[in-house]
Amino acid sequence: MSENKLAGQFFDAAIGLLQRARDEEADRITAAGAMLADTVVDGGRLFVFGAGHSSLPAQDVVYRAGGLALMNLLAVPGAVGIDVMPATLGSALERVNGLAGAVLDSSPVQPGDVLIVVSLSGRNSLPVEMAMNARALGLKVIGVTSLAYAEQTRSRHVSGTFLKDHCDLVIDSKIPPGDAELTADGIAAPFAPASTVVTSALLQAVVATAAGELAARGIDPPMLRSGNVDGGHEWNGRVMAEYGDRIFFRH
């Protein structure tokens, strides 16, 4: 089997998942966008969290060209990406009870804010407790996860629950357990994960919906422009000055 054939199969699998996410999650994407817009109008703040590779879609909507300036990353040291050695420590931290509460207690979150929690499996203690504790603090929680994991795996949290059980709104990424779309002769393990592609698209769709909802209400959405186009830095400076009390990635 040629590499090009495998590449085509991966694109086909990813496109199929994207189409399912677009069609089957449309109502929830709309609701999530409206929730973000409501929060912006009400003076609240927007946060997003993900651990491990689930942090990649979360980071993708924070401080980026074409993005909503008010999206803030709620980072857990050692659990964002593979920035620690050994990399397996990040996976271990996802299973630590009590870590989410400590992070939230030392964060700037307030009642009325929104937190998007991204977790492919939704089974580890960190995302489960992040959602639980955030709601206890008066935040609204949007979960972006694969519901198939809750059906086919066991929770690692002491409660036996998943991320989906502690959210005001859940968006299903449709990713099958194992996050590997392809198999082939001569390759012992399934391969070619698509969760980052699909989850990033879902989050960008939610942000786009929020921007459209704000515009429909007569509010100019605080969007960022690329610093690599003329006037981009000046534009962003004005946006950040106007909304500086709700932007936390600058200090």
Side-chain angles (χ1 to χ4, degrees):
M1 182 175 292
S2 70
E3 292 181 2
N4 284 342
K5 186 172 182 180
L6 289 175
Q9 288 178 346
F10 175 74
F11 277 113
D12 288 343
I15 290 168
L17 286 165
L18 286 167
Q19 289 175 331
R20 282 190 62 201
R22 177 196 64 193
D23 297 342
E24 297 174 17
E25 299 303 299
D27 290 345
R28 283 164 286 280
I29 291 170
T30 298
M35 189 182 296
L36 296 191
D38 289 341
T39 305
V40 173
V41 171
D42 293 340
R45 292 85 60 79
L46 309 175
F47 296 89
V48 59
F49 163 77
H53 284 92
S54 289
S55 74
L56 298 178
Q59 294 179 61
D60 191 47
V61 293
V62 176
Y63 184 51
R64 69 158 304 145
L68 191 60
L70 305 189
M71 297 298 302
N72 298 282
L73 184 67
L74 187 64
V76 176
V80 179
I82 52 173
D83 59 338
V84 293
M85 292 295 290
T88 50
L89 176 60
S91 298
L93 289 173
E94 290 188 61
R95 299 191 289 272
V96 173
N97 295 319
L99 181 57
V103 169
L104 285 168
D105 288 345
S106 60
S107 77
V109 302
Q110 295 179 355
D113 293 346
V114 166
L115 173 62
I116 301 173
V117 179
V118 183
S119 175
L120 176 59
S121 72
R123 70 190 296 227
N124 289 310
S125 294
L126 186 54
V128 171
E129 292 187 355
M130 192 67 74
M132 292 174 66
N133 291 351
R135 293 182 85 189
L137 291 172
L139 279 73
K140 293 181 180 178
V141 176
I142 299 170
V144 184
T145 186
S146 168
L147 295 182
Y149 273 85
E151 298 169 355
Q152 301 178 41
T153 68
R154 292 183 179 182
S155 170
R156 286 180 173 145
H157 188 251
V158 64
S159 67
T161 61
F162 287 77
L163 169 61
K164 71 177 183 64
D165 300 313
H166 305 284
C167 299
D168 297 279
L169 178 66
V170 176
I171 299 175
D172 182 9
S173 65
K174 315 297 179 183
I175 302 297
D179 192 18
E181 296 301 316
L182 302 183
T183 58
D185 292 340
I187 304 176
F191 58 100
S195 61
T196 304
V197 173
V198 177
T199 307
S200 291
L202 284 168
L203 289 186
Q204 292 295 352
V206 169
V207 172
T209 301
E213 181 67 22
L214 288 168
R217 301 183 192 186
I219 298 169
D220 186 14
M223 314 305 292
L224 295 173
R225 291 190 174 188
S226 172
N228 296 313
V229 298
D230 292 341
H233 285 300
E234 293 76 13
W235 173 280
N236 293 340
R238 289 192 295 271
V239 170
M240 291 183 185
E242 182 176 355
Y243 290 92
D245 60 331
R246 290 190 264 175
I247 296 174
F248 299 99
F249 49 75
R250 298 188 70 203
H251 44 77

